[in-house]
Amino acid sequence: STTQPRIDIFPSSPISPVSPLLFSGFIEHLGRCIYGGILPSTRTTFPYTPRNPCPPSEFTETPKTLLTPQGFRKDVIEVLRDELGVPMVRWPGGNFVSSYHWEDGVGRREGRRRRMELAWGFEEGNEFGTDEFIEWCREAACEPYICLNMGTGTLAEALHWVEYCNGTGDTYYANLRRANTGRDEPHNVKYWGLGNEVWGPWQVGQQTAPDYAQKARQWAHAIKLIDPSVKLVACGETGLTQWDATVLDALVDKVDLHSVHLYTGFGPRDRTQKEREYGRGVYGPDAAEYALEIARGLINKARVAKQISKPIKIAFDEWGVWDETVGTAENGLEQFYNLADALAMASWLNVFVRQSDLVDIACLAQSINVISPLITSPTGILKQTLYYPLYLFSKYMRGGMAVKVHVDSPTFAGETLPEWISTIKGAPKTLDVSAVLHGKSLRVAVVNRSEEQSATVPIRVAFAQLREGVEVEVHEIWHPDATVRNGWQKEEVAVKMRKEGWKEEWTFKEHSFTLLVVDL
Ligand code: AHR
C-alpha cells in the first residue's frame, strides 16, 4: 500500500523495562553446538554422524592456547560474555532432553556411558554434563537454566537433579555433587523448565495437553518441596493454541513462566519466487507478536478464573530464524544466513522490546553452530549476518525502558504470514519500529523491510524539544544485495556507525536496519 509513513515516539508512555533476560541463549546436544562450540571438536563442518565421520583430512586440532583451563573454547565464551552479554543459557535441550538422563553426565569423565540419543539420531558421549555446564556458565558469566526430561524421565529423577544442583543439606545427591565438584557450594540453578515441546509428535513421550498439565502440576508441587526458591517454566506451544490454553488454565497457580517456541524461516525450498521467500522471512516475526497478543489474553483468562494475583510471564525459550529444509539433522542444523535473515532477527527483537511487559525471558535458538549467528571452525569464529542486530540490541536496547511507538507505514502485499493470521491482523507494515529510553538517551530501532524501496519518514518525539542538528549516532546494517552472506574470507554485512544532526525526516535504505541514539 502507499500509506504516508510516519513514526511517533512517546517517551512519556512507558511499556516496561527491557529485561536483560531477553538476550538469553540456548545450547543443545545437537550437531556441533556442544561438541565444537563449547568443547573443541576437530570437525569443521557437517555432514558427519558417528556412522559417517568426516575424512581425516578435514580434521584440525584446536590448540590448547584457545581453550580455558577447563577445556572450553575461549573465543566462544568471549563473544557470548563480552560482546553479546548473554545473561542466561538454557540446556541440555530442546528435543534432546526428552531422552536425557542427567546421571549419565556426572562423575569421572572417563567412565561415562555412551547413549543412543533419540531426538536427532546421534550417539551421546556425555563428556559435557551438569557440572561442566555450571562450570561453563561461571566462565561465561551467565545464569544456568535447565530443562527437565518429561519424556523418558521420571519425577524421582527430576527431584534428584534439583537436589544435586541446589541441595545444601547432608543428603545423598547434595553430597554427590560435593564429591564430584570438590566444592561445598551448590550450583544454585534458579530456572527449571517442565519439559520441552511435549506436545510435538516428534517427541519421545508426546502427551496430550490434559495429561501433561496433570503431570506438570505434580512435578511443580514436588520440585518446590525440594527447593521453594526455584522458578518453574511450563511447557507451552506457540502461545495461541489449545495446548497453551489448557496448560495455562491448569498451571497458572503452580508456575512462574509459560514457554513459547516459534521460528521464522523462508519456508519450503520449492518456493522459488524471490519476493515470496524474502517476505516470509522478514515479516515472519509479526506472527510471533500476534501469538503473544493471544497468549496475553490466555494468561489473563486463566488468572481471572483462579483469581491469581501473581503475574505469569512468557519465556520465549526458543526463537530464531530457521529454515528446516536447510538446517536439517543431517547437517547439524548449520545454516548460513543472509542480510534478509538479519532483518528478520531485528524484527524479532523489536517484537520482544514492544512486548517487554509480557516477555521476561527469550532464549535465542541456538547460541553456537546450530541455527546460530556464530559458526566455529576448530580455530575461529564466523560472525554471521544475524550477529549484528543482536549485538546492537544487546548493547543499546537492554535495560532501557521500552516506550510506546506509533507507526504509519506502507504494507507488504506478498505472501508472508499464514492467511488466517493476515486476515485477522492485516497486511504487515514495511516499517517495523521499537524504542527505549535509557535515562535521557532515546534509542530507536527501525527495520525497513521493503526489499526495493527506501523510506523517507518524519519522526516525531512527543513532548521532547529535539532541536535540529543535535548529535545522533546512526548505526546501520545494510548492503545493496539482501541475499548476501558473511563468509570466512569476507565480511559483507556488519554495522556502520556515523554521526548526524537530528532532523525531522529520516531516510531508511531499502532492506536495512538502523538504530538511532540521541539524547533528549
Ligand atoms: O532448536 C532446535 C529444535 O527446535 C529444538 O531441539 C526443539 O525444541 C525445537 O523443535
Side-chain angles (χ1 to χ4, degrees), residues 1-8 406-411 429-431 433 448 453-460 504-508:
S1 86
T2 53
T3 309
Q4 279 303 313
R6 61 180 272 175
I7 298 172
D8 288 296
H406 174 83
V407 179
D408 284 341
S409 158
T411 51
K429 294 175 178 177
T430 53
L431 285 172
V433 185
N448 179 8
Q453 308 279 308
S454 66
T456 299
V457 193
I459 301 185
R460 270 168 246 178
E504 278 188 6
E505 267 191 357
W506 289 83
T507 297
F508 300 103

Side-chain angles (χ1 to χ4, degrees), residues 470-491:
V470 166
E471 187 176 273
V472 186
E473 276 182 21
V474 182
H475 303 262
E476 186 184 65
I477 298 176
W478 178 76
H479 188 284
D481 177 3
T483 63
V484 77
R485 294 177 159 79
N486 285 349
W488 289 99
Q489 269 71 43
K490 191 158 184 220
E491 185 166 71

Side-chain angles (χ1 to χ4, degrees), residues 114-410:
R114 276 187 85 72
R115 292 279 201 183
M116 282 180 70
E117 183 282 298
L118 304 182
W120 305 101
F122 298 108
E123 288 175 12
E124 172 57 44
N126 284 304
E127 293 98 323
F128 189 84
T130 305
D131 299 323
E132 289 78 22
F133 173 56
I134 299 296
E135 200 56 48
W136 182 85
C137 284
R138 284 199 186 109
E139 289 284 318
C142 64
E143 178 146 3
Y145 167 17
I146 292 183
C147 186
L148 293 164
N149 174 0
M150 290 191 74
T152 61
T154 63
L155 172 56
E157 202 181 343
L159 297 178
H160 297 159
W161 204 359
V162 177
E163 184 191 322
Y164 182 87
C165 289
N166 294 357
T168 51
D170 182 17
T171 61
Y172 176 78
Y173 284 102
N175 286 333
L176 183 62
R177 180 199 69 238
R178 291 184 184 102
N180 286 340
T181 62
R183 295 175 171 184
D184 185 42
E185 75 211 49
H187 290 336
N188 277 330
V189 179
K190 186 155 107 193
Y191 290 90
W192 293 84
L194 294 167
N196 175 73
E197 296 186 358
V198 181
W199 42 269
W202 53 87
Q203 288 302 334
V204 177
Q206 183 195 9
Q207 290 157 46
T208 64
D211 287 351
Y212 168 77
Q214 189 191 20
K215 185 168 161 186
R217 270 190 80 81
Q218 290 164 351
W219 282 44
H221 173 75
I223 289 167
K224 292 227 174 175
L225 295 177
I226 299 272
D227 183 350
S229 73
V230 296
K231 294 222 180 272
L232 294 178
V233 184
C235 170
E237 192 177 354
T238 53
L240 45 61
T241 67
Q242 189 53 48
W243 172 283
D244 292 291
T246 305
V247 166
L248 275 162
D249 285 346
L251 291 176
V252 72
D253 54 335
K254 283 286 180 196
V255 298
D256 303 279
L257 295 120
H258 179 81
S259 83
V260 169
H261 290 182
L262 267 175
Y263 292 90
T264 55
F266 278 4
R269 269 280 130 135
D270 57 6
R271 288 174 189 278
T272 47
Q273 285 179 46
K274 192 165 161 259
E275 189 190 60
R276 266 172 104 183
E277 293 199 358
Y278 176 88
R280 286 181 74 91
V282 299
Y283 295 102
D286 285 26
E289 188 149 32
Y290 181 68
L292 287 170
E293 285 162 14
I294 302 295
R296 186 188 290 275
L298 295 179
I299 290 173
N300 289 342
K301 174 181 156 280
R303 283 178 64 191
V304 168
K306 287 196 174 163
Q307 300 185 359
I308 304 295
S309 40
K310 179 174 68 91
I312 299 289
K313 295 289 180 96
I314 293 289
F316 217 121
D317 54 18
E318 283 187 31
W319 69 276
V321 184
W322 177 17
D323 179 341
E324 290 180 57
T325 64
V326 178
T328 61
E330 287 66 40
N331 66 19
L333 275 68
E334 289 192 20
Q335 204 173 319
F336 287 88
Y337 294 103
N338 63 21
L339 172 57
D341 295 317
L343 302 183
M345 186 81 167
S347 272
W348 265 109
L349 292 160
N350 271 345
V351 170
F352 295 142
V353 171
R354 286 192 295 261
Q355 300 288 333
S356 55
D357 56 335
L358 177 64
V359 185
D360 207 27
I361 294 174
C363 302
L364 174 67
Q366 300 193 0
S367 294
I368 187 78
N369 285 331
V370 170
I371 45 174
S372 174
L374 301 166
I375 294 273
T376 60
S377 75
T379 52
I381 297 187
L382 170 67
K383 287 178 178 162
Q384 302 216 61
T385 57
L386 295 191
Y387 168 86
Y388 290 99
L390 189 61
Y391 169 78
L392 284 179
F393 270 83
S394 170
K395 181 158 182 204
Y396 293 101
M397 306 297 270
R398 85 156 68 199
M401 175 62 78
V403 298
K404 293 242 161 82
V405 174
H406 174 83
V407 179
D408 284 341
S409 158

Side-chain angles (χ1 to χ4, degrees), residues 495-512:
V495 183
K496 291 212 175 91
M497 203 280 269
R498 60 179 190 272
K499 291 192 175 162
E500 280 188 34
W502 179 260
K503 49 199 178 193
E504 278 188 6
E505 267 191 357
W506 289 83
T507 297
F508 300 103
K509 295 193 180 92
E510 69 284 3
H511 58 256
S512 67

